[in-house]
Amino acid sequence: MRIFITGELDEKIGHDFGQLLRESDELLKPLENNDYGSEFAYIGIIPIIIDPKRGLFEAGFFKERKLIKRKTREADIRLRTDFDKFYTADYTKKRLLFVDNIIRSIRVIGEKSKSDFNSEKLIADILKVFNINEEDLVGL
């Protein structure tokens, strides 16, 4: 199963998000060889981190999306992360917010799963490779 992460981002946070993306690509790559069931071959996770002061949400842009394509065994999940929290955070907290978005996305897929997708095992493996406890994500 391939996990692809990119972002719909405000340019103010592009550099820091890029660092997180490079780190996650390296950490998540080995998980592609693990068995999480046959229901999904591809999971796209696209965090939305846009400054709300720009008015783009009200104009209808950057809506959250929870799309499951059963025939092609794909998931495309786009969940928002609070821009102000991310923008003002230090790198450690930005990393936690980034991982939180990934975990929330996997949970959405798990809830929509109709077959053998083992979301809890994938979540546990993601937390392990990032060396984060789930308690670290509470209250973000």
Side-chain angles (χ1 to χ4, degrees), residues 1-4 31-32 34-44 66-77 105-119 122:
M1 177 183 66
R2 183 161 184 261
I3 301 170
F4 174 77
L31 300 184
E32 292 180 2
N34 294 354
D35 181 14
Y36 301 104
S38 61
E39 188 170 4
F40 298 100
Y42 176 87
I43 292 177
K66 303 167 184 175
L67 178 64
I68 304 295
K69 297 180 182 178
R70 300 205 189 285
K71 288 183 181 178
T72 56
R73 299 175 42 226
E74 297 176 27
D76 178 348
I77 309 298
S105 298
I106 299 299
R107 285 217 163 88
V108 166
I109 298 167
E111 291 166 7
K112 292 182 170 281
S113 173
K114 293 191 176 195
S115 184
D116 65 345
F117 178 59
N118 190 340
S119 62
L122 179 54

Side-chain angles (χ1 to χ4, degrees), residues 79-125:
L79 301 179
R80 290 181 182 163
T81 291
D82 185 285
F83 172 82
D84 291 323
K85 284 183 181 179
F86 192 91
Y87 184 65
T88 59
D90 63 15
Y91 190 78
T92 301
K93 186 164 182 185
K94 284 178 181 168
R95 188 173 184 267
L96 290 172
L97 289 163
F98 178 81
V99 172
D100 179 64
N101 190 291
I102 295 170
I103 299 302
R104 289 186 294 123
S105 298
I106 299 299
R107 285 217 163 88
V108 166
I109 298 167
E111 291 166 7
K112 292 182 170 281
S113 173
K114 293 191 176 195
S115 184
D116 65 345
F117 178 59
N118 190 340
S119 62
E120 291 306 312
K121 180 179 179 202
L122 179 54
I123 288 169
D125 288 351

Side-chain angles (χ1 to χ4, degrees), residues 6-10 13 17 46-50 62-63 78:
T6 189
E8 293 182 344
L9 310 170
D10 196 284
I13 55 126
F17 190 87
I46 300 96
I48 302 168
I49 312 174
I50 300 290
F62 302 106
K63 293 180 180 178
R78 298 166 193 237

